[in-house]
Amino acid sequence: MAAIDYRRYLQSFSGSVLAILARAITGVRPIWSGSSPSYRQRIYFANHTSHGDFILLSSCLSQEARAHTCAVAGADYWRSNRIRKFMAEVLLRTVLVERNWVERSQDPMVVMLDAMSKGQSLIIFPEGTRNMTDEPLLRFRSGLYNLAIARPDVELIPCWIENMSRVLPKGAVLPVPLLCRVIFGAPVAVKEGEAHKDFLHRAREALLNMNPDAKGERP
Amino acid sequence: MTETTQLFLGLMGVLVTASVVAGILSFRSEKPLSSTLVNLNARIKAWWIMVAAMCVAFLFGKAGIIVLFALISFAALREYVTLTHTRRSDHWILLGMFAIIIPVQYYLIWIDWYGLYSIFIPVYCFLAMPALTALSGDTSRFLERISEQQWGIMLSVYCISHVPALITLEIPGYEGKKLLLIAFLIATVQGSDVLQYIFGKLFGKHRISPSVSPSKTWEGLIGGIVSASLLGAGLSWLTPFPPLQAGILAALACIMGFFGGLVASAIKRDRGVKDWGQMIEGHGGMLDRADSLVFAAPVFFHIVRYTWT
């Protein structure tokens, strides 16, 4: 029992330290437009350009909400060496899913639903990987739809993460201090009889529409 | 009573008066409050915090002032770079601007090496930055990327660092009071901002440059500079200068401050943003508050250095 408690304290401590760091470096401020902060179980889905994304997103949540929220990440990357494995599993408390569906031993849906059945909110990146292209957002994978169907009681909140790709681009270890914002939009739900493709398209559009660049507010 | 105590009591008097006036205005006006009044209340509240931060820094003397302005440079540069065009290959340059240039510049001021801190950025950084960027091999929008970052360093680090650099000036008969010179510069420049705002709100009719900033009017500018010069003359007991010269220095600092604000507005207009950031409630970002100081500080520094030392 003692070991479990120790681990939980370590996690909440490292979560707080990372949130403070994220705020000091990026001055991040959450913008709730369409939804409001809540302790309810939710699925936050966001654009993905940097390893810092879910740290930034979770630092926008209250400490209590953060304790019940974990990010879904790729097991192939985060289990590839011991340091990453320690960071992902112990410090960051991520839910690791295997992305390669040919070789995988565990169904990602089972892993994610298992975490949700323990009351966890999830942060997921439906693009499935970090977006390194000039496109603002890649095509969505079907995980988001499957989760929405399996847990219709849970709100799906689109979250647009701004500037994180400039703070911590792929391959960089040290972050450049730049101002970031996370915009939380109105929940998206699967409509009665909506086809899987239509829903993913609609969810993607909902996220894209929150991008201030697209509206010409920023350069 | 020492000058520092008088200055502190004077500042408290101004802040208390401002809070009381704003409180009475808010109490007597119709609810919900107009956006001007909400903003005024937020601004006054932020002024309390900014004055408190300055007081804490002054308590720690030279070290406190240098650390405070290094942090102001950090916040200002972060707001500036956020609005520029950067590419993935600029990562190390950008990191160096925050992690090397800011600490080195302020360290040089700490050790009072005028010969180097006055050229470290405009000579060495300005040569090193394009060289390193060229080495990275990414030539896309090269000139734009280089010049944007260089100018950001100039505004946010070089110019702002001339405020704490005032400590290093050796003015005969003014030993041990140099922090007060900083207080004088900040009080007149920020005072001028506030006075321009008040005169503009009360009498503003003729816009100076409507395409850049709709809130800057001739009435506000002239009223602000005249009254801030009188304020400067009235604060001459803080400085080694007689009242007339203090007034002239204040007027110059305020005119430079006006240009700083105008240039900052032009940059924001070009980038399509209203404020540099949201760091200071009611005011916007750090650069929204510091833009006038950016232009005023180096000019004030050099006039004092060449005339009085």
Side-chain angles (χ1 to χ4, degrees), chain A residues 166-167 175-178, chain B residues 77 81 84-101 129 133 145 149 153:
Chain A
R166 295 168 69 200
V167 172
V176 168
L178 293 173
Chain B
L77 186 62
V81 177
T84 63
H85 170 77
T86 63
R87 290 172 63 81
R88 213 166 289 157
S89 50
D90 296 330
H91 193 75
W92 285 105
I93 300 274
L94 298 175
L95 210 52
M97 285 165 38
F98 288 96
I100 299 172
I101 298 180
M129 285 162 67
T133 307
R145 276 155 60 210
Q149 300 315 331
I153 289 285

Side-chain angles (χ1 to χ4, degrees), chain B residues 1-277:
Chain B
M1 196 157 56
T2 65
E3 284 95 340
T4 317
T5 322
Q6 286 178 27
L7 177 67
F8 179 75
L9 291 178
L11 265 178
M12 289 300 119
V14 171
L15 282 179
V16 169
T17 313
S19 296
V20 169
V21 169
I24 292 172
L25 282 177
S26 306
F27 180 73
R28 286 175 51 177
S29 80
E30 286 170 39
K31 310 286 179 302
L33 294 177
S34 67
S35 62
T36 311
L37 218 43
V38 170
N39 180 257
L40 182 71
N41 286 328
R43 275 175 187 247
I44 292 172
K45 203 171 132 202
W47 270 118
W48 278 101
I49 298 166
M50 287 189 278
V51 167
M54 296 295 281
C55 288
V56 170
F58 271 70
L59 282 179
F60 286 94
K62 182 181 169 186
I65 289 292
I66 288 185
V67 169
L68 176 72
F69 279 89
L71 291 174
I72 291 175
S73 280
F74 174 86
L77 186 62
R78 184 170 71 175
E79 287 166 5
Y80 178 95
V81 177
T82 303
L83 293 189
T84 63
H85 170 77
T86 63
R87 290 172 63 81
R88 213 166 289 157
S89 50
D90 296 330
H91 193 75
W92 285 105
I93 300 274
L94 298 175
L95 210 52
M97 285 165 38
F98 288 96
I100 299 172
I101 298 180
I102 292 179
V104 169
Q105 175 73 6
Y106 282 91
Y107 175 71
L108 292 173
I109 288 168
W110 171 259
I111 61 169
D112 191 6
W113 189 353
Y114 174 76
L116 191 52
Y117 73 64
S118 57
I119 59 163
F120 169 64
I121 287 170
V123 177
Y124 294 99
C125 295
F126 277 23
L127 294 178
M129 285 162 67
L132 292 172
T133 307
L135 272 179
S136 80
D138 183 357
T139 55
S140 155
R141 294 166 81 174
F142 183 81
L143 197 53
E144 180 189 334
R145 276 155 60 210
I146 287 302
S147 33
E148 276 185 350
Q149 300 315 331
Q150 286 185 332
W151 210 52
I153 289 285
M154 200 67 190
L155 290 178
S156 318
V157 186
Y158 186 79
C159 289
I160 291 181
S161 75
H162 280 72
V163 180
L166 287 168
I167 304 179
T168 64
L169 295 178
E170 295 295 338
I171 303 170
Y174 191 62
E175 289 82 10
K177 292 189 195 167
K178 285 174 224 151
L179 288 177
L180 294 177
L181 200 56
I182 293 180
F184 174 79
L185 174 64
I186 296 173
T188 47
V189 172
Q190 297 295 331
S192 160
D193 277 3
V194 174
L195 290 163
Q196 281 181 42
Y197 169 86
I198 295 173
F199 275 93
K201 283 267 179 231
L202 293 180
F203 310 109
K205 278 204 179 70
H206 303 89
R207 287 175 180 165
I208 296 171
S209 180
S211 58
V212 177
S213 170
S215 63
K216 289 189 168 50
T217 58
W218 284 109
E219 291 81 0
L221 174 65
I222 294 167
I225 289 177
V226 169
S227 53
S229 309
L230 292 175
L231 173 71
L235 288 175
S236 66
W237 49 273
L238 284 174
T239 70
F241 328 120
L244 178 66
Q245 290 172 352
I248 293 171
L249 268 176
L252 268 173
C254 298
I255 291 168
M256 288 312 296
F258 165 76
F259 284 122
L262 195 67
V263 168
S265 295
I267 299 175
K268 286 184 284 187
R269 183 54 62 99
D270 174 41
R271 294 296 142 131
V273 295
K274 203 182 132 286
D275 291 321
W276 287 98

